[in-house]
Amino acid sequence: MGEVPPLAQLYEKYRNKGFEFLIIYVREAHPGENFPHHASFDQKMIHAGKLRELDKVGLPILVDDFEGSTHKAYGLLPNMVYLIDRAGVIVYKSDWTDAHELDGMCESLIRLDDMKARQVPIIRKGVSERLHWIPMDPRHRERIYRRSGEKAIKDYFNARGHLPYATDAEKERP
Amino acid sequence: MPDRTPIENYNYSVFVGADDFLSFRTLLPVGSLAPDCEVKLLETGRPVKLSEYWKRNDVLIEFGSFT
């Protein structure tokens, strides 16, 4: 699912605290008859416009080129997220957007600025790795896939062996 | 890292679920420099380099599509 989860609340919280939030529009993750794969850059711009309009996305939307150059450079995943500091250094990356984690990371950067301002010596930059768990709302997910078209649902089923909004119980059923 | 996505396959018409979550972990480790790519503003079509944003602020970038 390449759909952009709402980051609106986080954006409101941090946009005046030295952060910019951007969405980079990439290929359709689940092309369907209503929203097919992009056949041209113009079509990509139109689809990005629909994201703005139908999902009421208030964040700046930047559109990647037709070949997906930016998408490729950053790892080709459908809904990844990066946090980049003012030196252009990647300080956080995730293979899926998790607003709770992002909240914590933004706070960390604010804390870092505060430490620097108070000239607290920083002994080293540590690195963490973690797992995270993405909850799914089946109704919401069904709406997203149906919006793309029946083909999106069918292709997902062929790829995964179950419907995109199947609950664990439904996946168990033979 | 070799690019295994030919241009004609990038905008796939059929989702097959081949996303490479493992390579993502090593492609751009935290601490490395973010690629300064050029994209287009939706509003105006104006080309912009990503560094224009992180020069001024810490930047959160989310990748996504309508579907």
Coordinates of all heavy atoms in Angstrom, one line a residue, chain A residues 87-130:
Chain A
A87 N 22.5 19.2 7.9 CA 23.7 18.9 7.2 C 23.5 17.9 6.1 O 24.4 17.5 5.4 CB 24.7 18.3 8.2
G88 N 22.2 17.6 5.8 CA 21.9 16.6 4.8 C 22.2 15.2 5.2 O 22.3 14.3 4.3
V89 N 22.3 14.9 6.5 CA 22.6 13.6 7.0 C 21.3 12.9 7.4 O 20.4 13.5 8.0 CB 23.5 13.7 8.2 CG1 23.6 12.3 8.9 CG2 24.9 14.2 7.8
I90 N 21.2 11.6 7.0 CA 20.0 10.8 7.3 C 20.1 10.5 8.8 O 21.0 9.8 9.2 CB 19.9 9.5 6.5 CG1 19.8 9.9 5.0 CG2 18.8 8.6 6.9 CD1 20.0 8.7 4.0
V91 N 19.1 11.0 9.6 CA 19.2 10.7 11.0 C 18.2 9.6 11.4 O 18.2 9.0 12.5 CB 19.0 11.9 11.9 CG1 20.1 12.9 11.6 CG2 17.6 12.6 11.7
Y92 N 17.2 9.3 10.5 CA 16.2 8.3 10.8 C 15.7 7.8 9.5 O 15.5 8.6 8.5 CB 15.0 8.9 11.6 CG 13.8 8.0 11.8 CD1 13.8 7.0 12.8 CD2 12.7 8.1 10.9 CE1 12.7 6.2 12.9 CE2 11.6 7.3 11.0 CZ 11.6 6.3 12.1 OH 10.5 5.5 12.2
K93 N 15.4 6.5 9.4 CA 14.7 6.0 8.2 C 13.9 4.8 8.7 O 14.2 4.1 9.6 CB 15.8 5.5 7.2 CG 16.8 4.5 7.7 CD 17.8 4.1 6.6 CE 17.2 3.1 5.7 NZ 18.2 2.6 4.8
S94 N 12.7 4.7 8.0 CA 11.9 3.6 8.3 C 11.3 3.0 7.0 O 11.0 3.7 6.1 CB 10.8 4.0 9.2 OG 9.9 2.9 9.6
D95 N 11.1 1.7 7.0 CA 10.5 1.1 5.8 C 9.0 1.3 5.7 O 8.4 0.9 4.7 CB 10.9 -0.4 5.7 CG 10.4 -1.3 6.9 OD1 9.5 -0.8 7.7 OD2 10.9 -2.4 7.0
W96 N 8.4 1.9 6.7 CA 7.0 2.2 6.7 C 6.7 3.3 7.6 O 7.4 3.5 8.6 CB 6.2 0.9 7.2 CG 4.8 0.9 6.6 CD1 3.7 1.4 7.3 CD2 4.4 0.4 5.4 NE1 2.6 1.2 6.5 CE2 3.0 0.6 5.3 CE3 5.0 -0.2 4.3 CZ2 2.2 0.2 4.2 CZ3 4.3 -0.5 3.2 CH2 2.9 -0.4 3.1
T97 N 5.8 4.2 7.3 CA 5.6 5.4 8.1 C 4.9 5.1 9.4 O 3.9 4.4 9.5 CB 4.7 6.4 7.3 OG1 5.3 6.6 6.1 CG2 4.6 7.7 8.1
D98 N 5.5 5.5 10.5 CA 4.9 5.3 11.9 C 5.0 6.7 12.6 O 6.0 7.1 13.0 CB 5.8 4.3 12.6 CG 5.3 4.0 14.0 OD1 4.7 4.8 14.6 OD2 5.6 2.8 14.4
A99 N 3.8 7.3 12.7 CA 3.7 8.6 13.3 C 4.2 8.7 14.7 O 4.9 9.7 15.1 CB 2.3 9.2 13.2
H100 N 4.0 7.7 15.4 CA 4.5 7.6 16.8 C 6.0 7.7 16.9 O 6.6 8.5 17.7 CB 3.9 6.4 17.5 CG 4.3 6.3 18.9 ND1 3.7 7.1 19.9 CD2 5.2 5.5 19.6 CE1 4.2 6.7 21.1 NE2 5.1 5.8 20.9
E101 N 6.6 6.9 16.1 CA 8.1 7.0 16.0 C 8.6 8.3 15.6 O 9.6 8.8 16.1 CB 8.6 5.9 15.0 CG 8.7 4.5 15.5 CD 9.8 3.7 14.9 OE1 10.0 3.9 13.7 OE2 10.4 2.9 15.6
L102 N 8.0 8.9 14.6 CA 8.4 10.1 14.0 C 8.3 11.2 15.1 O 9.1 12.1 15.2 CB 7.6 10.5 12.8 CG 7.9 9.6 11.6 CD1 6.8 9.8 10.5 CD2 9.3 10.0 11.0
D103 N 7.2 11.2 15.9 CA 7.0 12.2 16.9 C 8.3 12.1 17.8 O 8.9 13.2 18.2 CB 5.8 11.8 17.7 CG 5.2 13.0 18.5 OD1 5.9 14.0 18.6 OD2 4.1 12.8 19.1
G104 N 8.6 10.9 18.3 CA 9.8 10.8 19.1 C 11.1 11.3 18.5 O 11.9 11.9 19.1
M105 N 11.3 11.0 17.2 CA 12.5 11.4 16.5 C 12.6 12.9 16.4 O 13.6 13.5 16.6 CB 12.5 10.8 15.1 CG 13.2 9.5 15.1 SD 14.8 9.4 15.8 CE 15.8 10.6 14.9
C106 N 11.4 13.6 16.1 CA 11.4 15.0 16.0 C 11.8 15.6 17.4 O 12.6 16.6 17.4 CB 10.1 15.5 15.5 SG 9.8 15.1 13.8
E107 N 11.2 15.1 18.4 CA 11.6 15.5 19.8 C 13.1 15.4 20.0 O 13.7 16.2 20.7 CB 10.8 14.7 20.8 CG 9.3 15.1 20.9 CD 9.1 16.6 21.4 OE1 10.0 17.2 21.9 OE2 7.9 17.0 21.2
S108 N 13.6 14.2 19.6 CA 15.1 14.0 19.8 C 15.9 15.1 19.1 O 16.9 15.5 19.7 CB 15.5 12.7 19.1 OG 15.1 11.6 19.9
L109 N 15.5 15.5 17.9 CA 16.2 16.6 17.2 C 16.1 17.9 17.9 O 17.1 18.7 18.0 CB 15.8 16.7 15.8 CG 16.3 15.6 14.9 CD1 15.7 15.7 13.5 CD2 17.8 15.5 14.8
I110 N 14.9 18.2 18.5 CA 14.7 19.4 19.3 C 15.6 19.4 20.5 O 16.3 20.4 20.9 CB 13.3 19.6 19.6 CG1 12.5 19.9 18.4 CG2 13.1 20.7 20.7 CD1 11.0 19.9 18.5
R111 N 15.7 18.2 21.1 CA 16.5 18.0 22.3 C 18.0 18.2 22.0 O 18.7 18.8 22.8 CB 16.3 16.6 22.9 CG 15.4 16.5 24.1 CD 15.6 15.3 24.9 NE 15.8 14.1 24.3 CZ 14.9 13.2 23.7 NH1 13.6 13.6 23.8 NH2 15.2 12.1 23.1
L112 N 18.4 17.8 20.8 CA 19.8 17.9 20.4 C 20.1 19.4 20.2 O 21.2 19.8 20.7 CB 20.0 17.2 19.1 CG 21.4 17.3 18.4 CD1 22.4 16.7 19.4 CD2 21.4 16.6 17.1
D113 N 19.2 20.1 19.6 CA 19.4 21.6 19.4 C 19.6 22.2 20.8 O 20.4 23.1 21.0 CB 18.3 22.2 18.7 CG 18.4 22.1 17.2 OD1 19.5 21.7 16.7 OD2 17.5 22.4 16.4
D114 N 18.8 21.8 21.7 CA 18.8 22.4 23.1 C 20.1 22.1 23.8 O 20.7 22.9 24.4 CB 17.6 21.8 23.9 CG 17.6 22.3 25.3 OD1 17.4 23.6 25.5 OD2 17.8 21.5 26.2
M115 N 20.6 20.8 23.6 CA 21.8 20.4 24.2 C 23.0 21.3 23.6 O 23.9 21.7 24.3 CB 22.1 19.0 24.0 CG 21.3 18.0 24.9 SD 21.9 16.3 24.9 CE 21.2 15.7 23.4
K116 N 23.0 21.5 22.3 CA 24.0 22.3 21.7 C 24.0 23.7 22.2 O 25.0 24.3 22.4 CB 23.8 22.2 20.1 CG 24.2 20.9 19.5 CD 24.0 21.0 18.0 CE 24.4 19.7 17.3 NZ 24.0 19.6 15.9
A117 N 22.8 24.2 22.3 CA 22.6 25.6 22.8 C 23.2 25.8 24.2 O 23.7 26.8 24.5 CB 21.1 26.0 22.7
R118 N 23.0 24.7 25.0 CA 23.5 24.8 26.4 C 24.9 24.3 26.5 O 25.5 24.1 27.5 CB 22.6 23.9 27.3 CG 21.2 24.6 27.5 CD 20.3 23.8 28.5 NE 19.9 22.5 28.0 CZ 20.2 21.3 28.6 NH1 21.0 21.3 29.7 NH2 19.8 20.2 28.1
Q119 N 25.5 24.0 25.3 CA 26.9 23.5 25.2 C 27.1 22.3 26.0 O 28.2 22.1 26.6 CB 27.9 24.6 25.6 CG 27.8 25.7 24.5 CD 28.7 26.9 24.8 OE1 28.7 27.4 26.0 NE2 29.4 27.4 23.8
V120 N 26.1 21.4 26.0 CA 26.3 20.1 26.7 C 27.2 19.3 25.7 O 26.9 19.1 24.6 CB 24.9 19.4 26.8 CG1 25.1 18.0 27.3 CG2 24.0 20.2 27.8
P121 N 28.3 18.7 26.3 CA 29.2 17.9 25.4 C 28.4 16.6 25.0 O 27.8 16.0 25.7 CB 30.4 17.6 26.3 CG 30.0 17.9 27.7 CD 28.8 18.8 27.6
I122 N 28.5 16.3 23.7 CA 27.9 15.1 23.1 C 29.0 14.1 22.9 O 29.9 14.3 22.2 CB 27.3 15.4 21.7 CG1 26.4 16.6 21.8 CG2 26.5 14.2 21.2 CD1 24.9 16.4 22.1
I123 N 28.9 13.0 23.6 CA 30.1 12.1 23.6 C 30.1 11.3 22.3 O 31.2 11.1 21.8 CB 30.0 11.1 24.8 CG1 31.3 10.4 25.0 CG2 28.8 10.2 24.8 CD1 31.5 9.7 26.4
R124 N 29.0 10.9 21.7 CA 29.0 10.2 20.5 C 27.6 10.2 19.9 O 26.6 10.4 20.6 CB 29.6 8.8 20.6 CG 28.7 7.8 21.4 CD 29.3 6.5 21.5 NE 29.6 5.9 20.2 CZ 28.7 5.1 19.5 NH1 27.5 4.9 20.0 NH2 29.0 4.6 18.3
K125 N 27.5 9.8 18.6 CA 26.2 9.6 18.0 C 26.0 8.1 18.0 O 26.8 7.3 17.4 CB 26.3 10.0 16.5 CG 26.2 11.5 16.2 CD 26.0 11.7 14.7 CE 27.2 11.2 13.9 NZ 27.5 12.1 12.8
G126 N 25.0 7.7 18.7 CA 24.7 6.2 18.8 C 23.7 5.9 17.6 O 23.1 6.7 17.0
V127 N 23.6 4.6 17.3 CA 22.7 4.1 16.3 C 21.9 3.0 16.9 O 22.3 2.1 17.6 CB 23.5 3.5 15.1 CG1 22.5 2.9 14.1 CG2 24.3 4.5 14.4
S128 N 20.5 3.1 16.7 CA 19.6 2.1 17.2 C 19.0 1.4 16.0 O 18.9 1.9 14.9 CB 18.5 2.7 18.0 OG 19.0 3.7 18.9
E129 N 18.5 0.2 16.2 CA 17.7 -0.5 15.2 C 16.5 -1.1 16.0 O 16.6 -1.4 17.1 CB 18.5 -1.7 14.6 CG 19.6 -1.3 13.6 CD 20.0 -2.4 12.7 OE1 19.2 -2.9 11.9 OE2 21.2 -2.8 12.9
R130 N 15.4 -1.1 15.3 CA 14.2 -1.7 16.0 C 13.3 -2.3 15.0 O 13.4 -2.1 13.8 CB 13.5 -0.5 16.7 CG 13.0 0.6 15.9 CD 11.9 1.4 16.6 NE 10.8 0.6 17.0 CZ 9.8 1.0 17.7 NH1 9.8 2.3 18.1 NH2 8.7 0.2 18.0

